[in-house]
Amino acid sequence: MTAVRQGLIVLRPIAHGQVPASLLVNSALLMKAFFAVLLVLSWLVVPAQAQTRYTLSGYLKDAGSGEDLIGASVFLADDPGRGTVTNLYGFYSITLPAGEYKVGFSYIGYESQELLISLQADLRQNVSLKENSILINELVVTAERTDENVQSTSMGKTELSVEQIKTMPAIFGEVDILKSLQLLPGVQSAGEGNSGFYVRGGGADQNLILLDEAVVYNTGHLFGFFSVFNSDAIKNTTLIKGGMPAQYGGRLSSVLDIAMKDGNNQEWHATGGVGIISSRLTVEGPLVKDKSSIMLSGRRTYADLLARPFIKGTEFEGNGYFFYDLNAKLNYRFSDKDRLYASGYFGRDVFEFVSPDNDFNARIPWGNRTATVRWNHLFNDQLFSNLSLVYNDYQFEVGSTFEDFSFTLFSGVRDYNAKLDFDFFPGEKHSMKFGANYTFHRFSPYSANATDGTAEFSTDSLNQKFAHELALYVQDEFDVGSRVRVNVGLRGTWFQQVGPYNQVIFDEREIPSDTLRYARGEKVRDYYGLEPRLSARYTLGTHSSLKAGLAYTNQFIHLVTSSTSTLPTDLWVPSSGIVEPQRGIQYSLGYFQNFLDNDVETSMEIYYKDLRNQIEFEDSYVPELGRDIEESFVFGRGRSYGAEFLVRKNKGPLTGWLGYTLSYTWRYFDALNGGERFPARFDRRHDLSAVVTWKVSSRWTLSSIFVYGTGQATTVPLSFYLIEGNLVNEYGPRNGYRLAPYHRMDFSATFSPDKRDDRPRAFDWDLNFSVYNLYNRKNPFFIYYDIEGDAFSETLDISAKQVSLFPVIPSITWNFRF
């Protein structure tokens, strides 16, 4: 342990600057050397065994669908402390001395199995678990094993059951994974009804959101009120807001890792639902039973279709809005050693407007598309690998015409990504991960084209930017004695902006004086650094533990938003000669205690986060075509600290949780607020959430949510002046005013027809009745100033008025399965 601590002390991030030509070679040698050190440590921390040792390995699956079970427990029945968990593909491996063992296999919501294993050679043992019919009148909040929160080294990690999410109240009846995560301590909503979220004082761009390993840059439909994730297509959802493992990087605050269903490889099924604003349908089944399956899922709103007959011939004809999602996944198992997966997502929002006289029209489409191809290979019973090729693309576009003039505004980001990851299981209480990740980025912030029929204007070549990003990582998790478990990792990162790129040079009067032109592939600027990660757990008793974590991270791509934006005009920009990488370090400490045989979880975590090179727009920012947006940025630092408390009941007819967060989030910018510190827009002193679900009977399930939060910080005028006939306002301190506190209660009831036995029926359905904002709280969305009268006649009246968005909203959704 001493050697490990000393090693971490000297792991300081390398200062950014010009990278030597041998960077890639040196980085590879560095990571190889570090891996060799950890490999030596693996022999030091695992007690020497005189006995011959063999490996028991295999896959855990759902017996009904063939889906891999992620995070399932494999343990020795006579000594439950000795065991392991399955990885993201349901694979497990445990190495033991030769002998006979009674081995248990368990997963929340499934019937456990025990097998008598005679381990006289390396053995492959695949296990299929059946859903537990005894739990028909119970619900499960979490997909984790029962004591995962106490025994693991992870801090701030949460896995939510999709089935639990589907029973919770939802606005317009639309089940939303992201809104469910907002109910957890340390996670804050981006606004009334919004699916965006902030984690522990970090910005929206500081969350790494993955769908089958593809980065999702924009997660919202309908201007952020619904997320792009269709719950019918989702298998597993994991949020990490504490110590980020070394396998993840590129963001400062959190990781949201979402896995799509593989598809049922036993029999064909369809699920779907009809709500008041959208419908959805998912079809899955085997292409080759036990070897290959496919899953197809779609969702679309239909308000535009329903309204079309009623607005035909009126001034509203041609206007409309809709969004849709498409998910698809295909997999093929060649053998236990080789599996191939291909998955994709395509989603679009489209807003259309036509003026009554047909002189002006606008079309605003935006959305994401992703594609992932993965190959799993098992080299041996202890070494598992996954190779991924990933494509993702986010685009936002505004197209309009007015008589002979047409205008198009475009922004977006596109990535081409290759990843290679290894899981290595050298011993019974020892596991390692290592790998590499390369991404080529293409950024298009505010590219514009315009024409009036005779002349054409374009900014495409000026604004597009290109970059390479490379990461190498290694992490090692091992036990030291019977009470201590350590997860130590190191991630090496490199980022380089390349041409084609034109950099405008300004003189002392800020007038363009020259242009530097970089050819395709030519280096513009690069950055690199090391990111140490450390988390540790000390077991106090059978059901309690202390944990500590440290994570240093770099973020090379940035999202900068204006507080006045009302459209999803997300502008992603790379680190460059002007924009330096964001850097952050987070310290965390937690106490975890379970009660009633792990049925009730409690935890308390405190954290401190220091953020550097944070980005905001300058106070006088106005979008200006032809000007590089980087010239409108100002830079500063941030600080966030707080405490999070959670009590959660996981099993039984009555489940749910109570969460509370006390937090402070500050920003420090020399160019803003007179250089004085100010609260971030998402600073929220108090945040409380309560979630209760009651399985009343086999027919009825009731659920309720209550949330309370300190009002949003905003900037408002302190006074108004009349100067030369013009009304001028004087603003107060930045974000120095608080809107009224936000609170709301939701309620839902789900009715399912009674089942006479536990056998599945050919056709099954349920009805969900939901009420959003039960007591019609008028929560502030924003405030504006209403000006009436005239100053010269002494009738001028200025009053602040609040705009509230959603009143009480009832909804009904019919869900079906066959």
Side-chain angles (χ1 to χ4, degrees), residues 24 30 36 165 253 260 323 343 426 465 619 623 679 700 746 772:
L24 296 180
L30 176 63
I165 294 173
S253 288
M260 283 196 285
F323 71 75
S343 60
K465 297 179 174 67
D619 279 333
W700 286 99
D746 307 332
Y772 181 88

Side-chain angles (χ1 to χ4, degrees), residues 420-485:
L420 181 60
D421 302 286
F422 293 90
D423 288 354
F424 179 47
F425 305 90
E428 176 187 341
K429 298 181 179 181
H430 189 195
S431 62
M432 304 181 70
K433 295 178 183 288
F434 55 95
N437 188 341
Y438 167 76
T439 305
F440 177 74
H441 301 282
R442 190 192 76 177
F443 302 87
S444 303
Y446 275 164
S447 297
N449 293 279
T451 179
D452 63 358
T454 59
E456 185 173 343
F457 169 78
S458 174
T459 66
D460 283 351
S461 60
L462 173 66
N463 285 330
Q464 281 198 349
K465 297 179 174 67
F466 305 88
H468 302 285
E469 185 173 355
L470 174 68
L472 304 171
Y473 76 90
V474 61
Q475 69 184 49
D476 191 7
E477 182 166 293
F478 51 86
D479 284 4
V480 181
S482 60
R483 292 183 177 270
V484 178
R485 177 172 295 171

Side-chain angles (χ1 to χ4, degrees), residues 253-275:
S253 288
S254 74
V255 177
L256 179 59
D257 198 345
I258 299 175
M260 283 196 285
K261 289 180 179 178
D262 296 332
N264 193 315
N265 65 16
Q266 300 298 304
E267 54 188 9
W268 285 92
H269 286 287
T271 59
V274 179

Side-chain angles (χ1 to χ4, degrees), residues 147 150-151 539 541-545 591-595 597-598:
D147 62 346
V150 171
Q151 297 299 327
T539 302
T542 306
H543 301 296
S544 61
S545 65
Y591 172 74
F592 298 79
Q593 172 81 57
N594 288 359
F595 300 94
D597 194 27
N598 295 311

